Amino acid sequence: MKRVAILISGGGSNMVKLVQDMVGDHPARAVLVASNDPAAKGLARAAEMGVAVASVDHRGFGKDRVAFEAALLEPILAAKPDILCLAGFMRVLTPAFVRRFEGRMLNIHPSLLPKYPGLHTHARALAAGDAEAGCTVHEVTAVLDDGPILGQARVPVLPGDDEAALAARVLVQEHRLYPAVLRRYAAGLHERLDL
């Protein structure tokens, strides 16, 4: 049984879907949900589902990312995860942190990578006049949103879409894609999945 730690920054809707899926014959279980924001609503949601939680407020570290990550590593390493999932974790991790979990850290990103790494993905897709948008689960590397793609799900961009409408439709697919990819990944299957 693989042990999974999940990092969040907000409400944790993707985290909830991951935890809900890790039951029965699933090859993994959530052992920790951690956040850089002690007020993140997802921490309470995780605790309600019986998952251990931890928070390290990044604001107390100023621009010292190394010190923040050292503090964040304490509860993560104590949980002994086999896989680390970023699920709406809004901090850019240093190369040293990423190397520690290389080959076993996943992220979900709300675009069809390699298009639109970083922020404001839906606005950028709309501004470009794209016919479709979507989400990507990928392995995390030291380069932002650039690791090997493990899965993608696509949605059409509809006439009259604004950022909120497109984001809501993409989020539905995120909630399908991330659990499906994690289930396969935890079982040792790293082939790309397209939904």
Side-chain angles (χ1 to χ4, degrees):
M1 191 67 64
K2 299 290 187 186
R3 299 170 62 83
V4 177
I6 306 170
L7 301 186
I8 64 170
S9 291
S13 69
N14 273 305
M15 172 274 297
V16 168
K17 296 300 183 184
L18 291 175
V19 173
Q20 287 174 340
D21 195 55
M22 283 187 268
V23 296
D25 65 353
H26 195 292
R29 291 293 184 270
V31 295
L32 176 71
V33 172
S35 179
N36 62 297
D37 182 356
K41 289 186 170 71
L43 292 173
R45 297 172 83 181
E48 288 167 7
M49 292 187 291
V51 181
V53 297
S55 65
V56 177
D57 192 337
H58 70 275
R59 291 166 290 214
F61 295 89
K63 295 188 183 293
D64 191 344
R65 291 166 59 199
V66 172
F68 162 68
E69 289 178 357
L72 183 64
L73 271 173
E74 289 183 27
I76 293 172
L77 295 179
K80 297 181 173 62
D82 300 299
I83 300 169
L84 190 59
C85 288
L86 307 183
F89 186 68
M90 302 304 290
R91 308 302 300 166
V92 176
L93 296 165
T94 64
F97 186 100
V98 171
R99 271 194 303 275
R100 180 182 284 269
F101 296 98
E102 194 165 0
R104 54 194 186 109
M105 182 163 39
L106 309 183
N107 182 47
I108 187 152
H109 183 74
S111 81
L112 295 172
L113 292 173
K115 279 189 166 185
Y116 316 125
L119 301 175
H120 311 297
T121 57
H122 307 301
R124 291 156 69 194
L126 291 169
D130 289 356
E132 64 179 3
C135 53
T136 304
V137 176
H138 64 95
E139 283 190 32
V140 176
T141 64
V143 179
L144 183 69
D145 298 329
D146 192 54
I149 292 173
L150 298 173
Q152 289 188 322
R154 299 169 184 272
V155 301
V157 176
L158 302 178
D161 265 349
D162 60 12
E163 282 182 70
L166 183 56
R169 222 165 37 256
V170 170
L171 186 62
V172 170
Q173 297 307 312
E174 291 180 40
H175 291 167
R176 292 178 61 228
L177 180 67
Y178 210 173
V181 170
L182 177 60
R183 181 180 282 263
R184 291 162 53 93
Y185 194 83
L189 303 171
H190 296 191
E191 298 84 16
R192 177 173 168 148
L193 174 67
D194 288 291
L195 297 182

